[in-house]
Amino acid sequence: MSVLGPGRLLEGKTALITGAAKGIGAAVARLFAEHGAHVVAVDIDADALGALGEGVPSAALVEADVTDPATAARCAGFEVDVLVNNVGDFLRPATPFADAGPDEWARLGAVNFDHALHMTHALLPGMAARGRGGSIINMTTVEAHRGIPGQTVYASFKAALRHFTRSLALEVGRDGIRVNAVAPDLIETPQVPYGRLVAEAHRDRWPLWAPLGGPGRPEDVAGPALFLASDLSRFVTGTTVHVDGGSHAAGGWFARPDGTWVNRPLDP
Ligand SMILES: NC(=O)c1ccc[n+]([C@@H]2O[C@H](COP(=O)([O-])OP(=O)(O)OC[C@H]3O[C@@H](n4cnc5c(N)ncnc54)[C@H](O)[C@@H]3O)[C@@H](O)[C@H]2O)c1
């Protein structure tokens, strides 16, 4: 039996995406809508949400802050088959752990972890009760799998989200609900604008920084998210899809211009 169906992979499904107005979330929202999903786009940025709505006129636009638990309660009214917990943010430039304190830890926790708990908790009972199964996708990061100096607390909450993904997958599998993560790296978005962060003179170095070069585009993350949302991945749960041009696989290894590799670069 084919799992592909007639062409559009999310026909008849409702997909709620947080942080859907820009960057990765917007690319996910657009691709899901192209594949027949009724998209519920949640974002704090009203202008960007309006712009998304012009491209995806069928989308329900919810202007809200996901760090406010009332947002999850508000979203519980939607009959959601697919939930993408996409919001996440460094919130600050790299800063030593010792130079920040509990207030900042709480803000990082709210925007990188707590909202996924609230949103999932609000939508899961309906998903289970409707008996149609479901797919929950949590946007983590390569830094949930390796350390990152100066972003210790951010990375810790993302690692928690990764583990939430795995444990919840065990609990809800019998309801036909799958829970997976996507771990991006090196994707050009408003939060990580590599076009500005990397000087023009250095852009030819991308193939040395990641096996597939870079930067990646938000659409490169939307494809794997579509896979996880659709029945193509119906036997996949509790795992992570890495969308990073190979940076996680490379670890500390870097290509040299002559094609050899080094893990102790003299000119990193
Ligand atoms: N871009 C990358 O290379 C990269 C790498 C690793 C992980 N990620 C993860 O991917 C996800 C998306 O990243 P991005 O680069 O597209 O981010 P982005 O900042 O470019 O876009 C995030 C979107 O979320 C919205 N948002 C932010 N805070 C919100 C809140 N409190 N309530 C509602 N909406 C809110 C923003 O308005 C924006 O539309 C994040 O979880 C991020 O940690 C991205």
Side-chain angles (χ1 to χ4, degrees):
M1 188 185 78
S2 167
V3 292
L4 282 173
R8 301 213 295 175
L9 294 173
L10 299 179
E11 205 73 68
K13 310 243 189 211
T14 295
L16 188 146
I17 301 146
T18 69
K22 297 187 299 248
I24 290 169
V28 171
R30 285 192 296 264
L31 186 63
F32 281 18
E34 278 172 30
H35 275 266
H38 171 52
V39 165
V40 180
V42 182
D43 206 287
I44 201 169
D45 183 336
D47 291 344
L49 207 50
L52 178 87
E54 285 172 21
V56 188
S58 61
L61 306 178
V62 180
E63 182 196 338
D65 179 350
V66 294
T67 66
D68 177 356
T71 297
R74 195 173 148 197
C75 290
F78 292 100
E79 296 196 355
V80 167
D81 305 288
V82 178
L83 167 63
V84 184
N85 289 312
N86 168 66
V87 166
D89 206 315
F90 297 109
L91 292 183
R92 56 171 194 159
T95 313
F97 173 72
D99 292 351
D103 289 349
E104 187 166 294
W105 308 337
R107 289 197 303 123
L108 283 162
V111 85
N112 289 297
F113 183 60
D114 298 353
H115 69 83
L117 303 189
H118 285 291
M119 198 61 87
T120 305
H121 196 255
L123 298 183
L124 201 48
M127 255 187 207
R130 283 187 293 280
R132 300 200 301 246
S135 172
I136 297 169
I137 301 167
N138 295 318
M139 207 57 75
T140 60
T141 169
V142 70
E143 273 93 27
H145 301 261
R146 72 174 189 207
I148 174 172
Q151 302 288 3
T152 300
V153 178
Y154 163 81
S156 301
F157 282 117
K158 284 291 199 180
L161 185 57
R162 172 195 176 201
H163 210 73
F164 171 63
T165 301
R166 295 199 286 199
S167 293
L168 184 65
L170 308 186
E171 287 188 24
V172 299
R174 283 188 191 173
D175 293 318
I177 299 170
R178 300 178 296 103
V179 191
N180 291 288
V182 174
D185 188 24
L186 306 176
I187 307 295
E188 169 90 38
T189 65
Q191 189 177 145
V192 201
Y194 288 104
R196 276 200 284 115
L197 296 174
V198 177
E200 203 163 342
H202 297 151
R203 288 185 197 153
D204 62 345
R205 294 188 177 207
W206 273 108
L208 314 182
W209 296 334
L212 294 182
R217 300 168 304 150
E219 291 74 16
D220 296 327
V221 186
L226 174 64
F227 163 72
L228 291 175
S230 77
D231 286 346
L232 286 177
S233 61
R234 64 187 181 186
F235 205 50
V236 178
T237 198
T239 196
T240 294
V241 178
H242 292 267
V243 187
D244 57 9
S247 67
H248 175 56
W253 286 91
F254 296 92
R256 284 193 180 118
D258 67 1
T260 61
W261 288 78
V262 61
N263 64 354
R264 301 178 308 284
L266 296 176
D267 180 20

